[in-house]
Amino acid sequence: MITPAFNLDQDADHLTLTIRVPYTRTSEFDLFIDGTDFKFYAKPYFLRLTLPGRIVQDGREKARFDIDKGLFTLQVPKETPGENFEGLQMLTSLLAPKGCRSAKPLVEDISAGCSGDAEDEEDEEEFDWQVEQEAYTERSEEELAALQKYGFGNQRSGVFDRLQEELSDVIDVKNPEATTTAERRRARLHAEAAAFSSDHYLADLFEDDEIKRLLKFRPWWADLSCADSEVDGLSFTEDEKEQLRKFNNRSYLLDKAARKQVLLSLVDVLLAYTYEVRSTEGEHNVESPWTIRKLSGTLCWLETYSHTKDVLVSFGRRVMCFPLYRHFDLVSSALRDVVSILQAGTVCVLKCLLDIHKVFRQNEPAYILNDLYITDYCIWIQRVKSKKLMSLCETLKTSCLSKGDLDLELEELEEAAVMVAQEEESDDTRSSDSSEEDEESDDEVQGSISPTNGGGGTPEHCPLQVQPPALTAPIPQEPSSTFLSAEEAEDVRPSASAGSAQLIEELGQRVAEDLTLSDSIRDDGRSHLERSVAQTEQVSRGDETFLEPSSRRNPLLIVHTPE
């Protein structure tokens, strides 16, 4: 039998069922209506529903069949007019046989044999016939009881014994069958501490243009605000409906502690999902399965939580350690997104889970996580009342998470980075001021060297003037009245020691002996040097001192100019 595609709608007094049964004849249609039970048969289609409310078959029902589209529409009156049937979009739960209960939520059919069909021969990859094999042996009940539990509601074990090759690509736990919950948590915290990069975190903190752009993104659930999502027009796509029909409905016997753990793990998965949607701006890519899996401690480390704060801390630490964008504002944004999803009700949560299921279904190793968690969540959430989600939502609203809670020393790291930045800024300022002072000093020196007027005079604040290049010419003898004698020079410098005076006198005598003037220069009167000396004497005023050459004494003697 084929389960047909179907859809349910309602108004105040009627329930409308739309069933797609192409290539059938109306003469073969068979209906059964009894309270909450509804059955439809039209070869080769068969549909059995357990409705959330009672309907009656009293002659007021209406039916029509569109041959071109193959749609059969049936309108059935409600037993209690005005009653609202909840969960009409939860197609998987509607397919459940009435009264079906099972203590074992999963039944696994394992085929150990290999067929010799022609399809195996057409496989593109060449089979390694020399691969080592180990005979599979069934575990005893004692051995199965000793294995660690994981998966949805901690109801699975022994799965990774048969999936050793895919183990490292799916989870980070090395040996999940023998690793206790406490050991997984310690290993997770150690791996997060080792993966944390302060440079990456600070780069995203101070260069946050891309982060600000992502924070402005509005995901599809941003405009949903109430739990009555069906009224707001939130519905499933055809692909989502098809996937819901493919799920095998089952019931889960969970005690109070298990239900709490399942809800907290659901928050953990939704946090990872909302981060991925925001970081890719709603466009999934090849990294999406890795991002969702890596940010969720439930999916990556088979973690279980007992408090809401544990979930938030785990998610915050993993955001700071693994993804491309590592900013604390993205953690806060993901928390607000999850609150919005829970407020929107069960349908919105189910749409998120179906999207995660699709992302994992399209990735080769990640599909295992669908079998362990997501498929069961998609089936289980359809039976959860919106008021339970609202209670969880209120708990999240009152929960707060700070950077100090992550135990990664983020606040200390930020303070140190700010101090270093301030020191570098102050060093740059001092360097800039020093450069400006050097430039001003160079300008002043250039101004003092260059003449202040056309006559080439010497500024008053700079009495010492560098002698012009013409002074390099031979020094002529001057009349005795022009230069001071050695005795007068001795009087000018009374504080000089006797030894220094004697040394200066000897140097002067040596210079006088080496300087000889030709008769032609003496007869010419004033030489070029004499004119320069005369100009120097004219521009020198007051008690200023200058270097005056002498033909008989050391030319470096410092003397006073006569007034």
Side-chain angles (χ1 to χ4, degrees):
M1 294 295 181
I2 301 175
T3 300
F6 67 97
N7 189 34
L8 288 85
D9 295 308
Q10 65 177 328
D11 55 27
D13 300 326
H14 298 87
L15 176 68
T16 303
L17 299 93
T18 303
I19 307 172
R20 187 174 184 273
V21 284
Y23 313 113
T24 58
R25 293 180 293 180
T26 56
S27 60
E28 296 180 352
F29 286 5
D30 189 9
L31 293 173
F32 175 80
I33 299 174
D34 183 15
T36 58
D37 292 340
F38 173 83
K39 299 176 183 178
F40 170 82
Y41 172 75
K43 188 179 181 178
Y45 300 100
F46 177 74
L47 178 64
R48 179 178 55 189
L49 301 177
T50 301
L51 301 175
R54 297 180 63 86
I55 58 177
V56 294
Q57 186 177 7
D58 57 2
R60 292 182 295 164
E61 60 273 4
K62 298 178 182 179
R64 65 178 182 272
F65 181 61
D66 188 337
I67 299 178
D68 296 332
K69 297 181 180 179
L71 293 178
F72 174 69
T73 304
L74 175 65
Q75 188 180 61
V76 185
K78 296 180 180 178
E79 183 176 273
T80 305
E83 181 184 0
N84 181 46
F85 290 179
E86 295 183 358
L88 291 181
Q89 291 183 323
M90 308 303 175
L91 304 185
T92 308
S93 62
L94 296 177
L95 291 172
K98 184 178 179 180
C100 178
R101 294 292 184 270
S102 174
K104 296 182 179 180
L106 296 177
V107 177
E108 189 173 3
D109 183 13
I110 304 173
S111 177
C114 298
S115 62
D117 298 339
E119 295 179 358
D120 296 337
E121 299 177 359
E122 296 175 358
D123 195 349
E124 296 180 0
E125 297 183 2
E126 184 178 359
F127 182 77
D128 185 7
W129 296 99
Q130 304 301 324
V131 64
E132 296 183 2
Q133 301 182 84
E134 293 183 1
Y136 177 76
T137 57
E138 292 288 345
R139 292 181 180 267
S140 63
E141 293 184 1
E142 292 77 9
E143 292 176 336
L144 289 174
L147 294 178
Q148 298 299 319
K149 304 292 184 180
Y150 45 81
F152 178 84
N154 281 338
Q155 296 182 345
R156 305 294 297 273
S157 63
V159 175
F160 291 101
D161 276 350
R162 303 181 297 274
L163 299 173
Q164 290 298 320
E165 294 183 0
E166 294 85 355
L167 177 63
S168 60
D169 296 331
V170 178
I171 61 176
D172 290 349
V173 186
K174 300 302 181 182
N175 186 12
E177 311 297 346
T179 306
T180 64
T181 303
E183 291 173 343
R184 295 175 200 162
R185 179 163 298 184
R186 286 195 296 269
R188 175 178 64 82
L189 295 175
H190 178 74
E192 292 166 356
F196 177 72
S197 171
S198 58
D199 294 338
H200 194 145
Y201 172 75
L202 292 177
D204 286 351
L205 179 65
F206 292 102
E207 300 176 3
D208 57 350
D209 293 339
E210 188 71 12
I211 305 297
K212 292 179 179 178
R213 184 179 64 82
L214 295 177
L215 292 174
K216 294 179 180 178
F217 172 73
R218 291 182 61 83
W220 58 267
W221 57 78
D223 299 327
L224 303 176
S225 59
C226 67
D228 296 330
S229 302
E230 297 87 351
V231 179
D232 292 341
L234 182 61
S235 59
F236 297 111
T237 64
E238 291 301 323
D239 291 340
E240 291 171 343
K241 291 180 180 179
E242 179 65 24
Q243 185 59 51
L244 287 174
R245 288 190 291 267
K246 289 181 179 179
F247 289 144
N248 295 323
N249 197 7
R250 58 179 71 97
S251 298
Y252 301 90
L253 298 181
L254 302 175
D255 57 17
K256 184 177 180 179
R259 286 196 298 269
K260 181 179 179 181
Q261 180 265 319
V262 167
L263 285 172
L264 292 177
S265 294
L266 174 64
V267 173
D268 181 52
V269 174
L270 290 178
L271 285 169
Y273 169 73
T274 54
Y275 175 94
E276 193 279 332
V277 172
R278 184 172 295 276
S279 64
T280 59
E281 297 181 290
E283 299 292 336
H284 298 308
N285 53 39
V286 295
E287 296 295 332
S288 296
W290 181 91
T291 302
I292 298 175
R293 176 184 66 84
K294 201 70 175 179
L295 296 185
S296 171
T298 300
L299 302 178
C300 192
W301 283 90
L302 309 179
E303 182 71 274
T304 57
Y305 303 98
S306 56
H307 301 285
T308 306
K309 191 63 171 290
D310 295 340
V311 179
L312 301 181
V313 171
S314 173
F315 173 72
R317 286 174 59 90
R318 299 190 73 78
V319 170
M320 296 298 106
C321 297
F322 297 107
L324 176 61
Y325 304 110
R326 307 179 185 181
H327 200 282
F328 190 79
D329 288 347
L330 291 176
V331 178
S332 303
S333 178
L335 178 58
R336 291 191 297 269
D337 288 337
V338 172
V339 170
S340 299
I341 291 173
L342 294 176
Q343 282 180 335
T346 307
V347 175
C348 186
V349 176
L350 180 56
K351 283 184 69 69
C352 296
L353 292 172
L354 288 173
D355 197 13
I356 298 173
H357 191 279
K358 180 180 179 181
V359 171
F360 287 166
R361 191 170 65 244
Q362 296 173 349
N363 184 266
E364 183 62 27
Y367 74 92
I368 300 174
L369 297 175
N370 279 343
D371 297 337
L372 288 176
Y373 290 98
I374 308 304
T375 299
D376 294 310
Y377 268 114
C378 290
I379 299 171
W380 172 80
I381 197 64
Q382 298 182 51
R383 296 177 177 271
V384 177
K385 302 298 182 181
S386 295
K387 63 180 182 180
K388 287 188 177 181
L389 298 181
M390 289 301 298
S391 176
L392 179 60
C393 178
E394 293 299 326
T395 303
L396 290 177
K397 284 182 179 180
T398 58
S399 300
C400 60
L401 181 68
S402 64
K403 296 180 180 179
D405 296 331
L406 305 185
D407 197 22
L408 293 174
E409 299 182 350
L410 300 182
E411 295 174 340
E412 294 81 356
L413 189 63
E414 292 177 15
E415 292 177 0
V418 170
M419 292 178 59
V420 171
Q422 291 176 348
E423 291 179 358
E424 292 180 352
E425 183 178 356
S426 61
D427 292 343
D428 294 341
T429 303
R430 286 195 297 267
S431 177
S432 177
D433 294 341
S434 176
S435 300
E436 292 178 358
E437 291 176 359
D438 292 343
E439 292 178 359
E440 292 177 358
S441 176
D442 293 341
D443 293 340
E444 292 177 358
V445 172
Q446 294 293 335
S448 63
I449 294 177
S450 61
T452 59
N453 52 41
T458 303
E460 295 181 358
H461 65 277
C462 186
L464 295 179
Q465 180 70 21
V466 180
Q467 297 297 331
L471 293 179
T472 58
I475 301 176
Q477 292 183 354
E478 294 292 333
S480 58
S481 61
T482 305
F483 301 97
L484 296 178
S485 62
E487 291 79 1
E488 294 173 344
E490 291 290 342
D491 297 335
V492 173
R493 47 185 177 82
S495 61
S497 62
S500 299
Q502 183 178 0
L503 178 60
I504 293 174
E505 185 176 0
E506 292 178 358
L507 290 175
Q509 292 176 357
R510 291 181 182 180
V511 171
E513 293 175 358
D514 294 337
L515 296 176
T516 58
L517 301 176
S518 62
D519 294 336
S520 60
I521 295 177
R522 186 180 297 107
D523 294 339
D524 289 342
R526 284 191 170 186
S527 65
H528 178 71
L529 177 60
E530 291 173 341
R531 290 192 298 271
S532 300
V533 172
Q535 292 177 358
T536 304
E537 293 174 349
Q538 291 177 2
V539 300
S540 301
R541 297 293 185 269
D543 296 333
E544 299 171 348
T545 60
F546 63 93
L547 300 178
E548 183 176 354
S550 174
S551 60
R552 297 186 303 274
R553 296 290 184 267
N554 186 1
L556 299 181
L557 290 177
I558 300 176
V559 298
H560 290 276
T561 58
E563 296 183 359

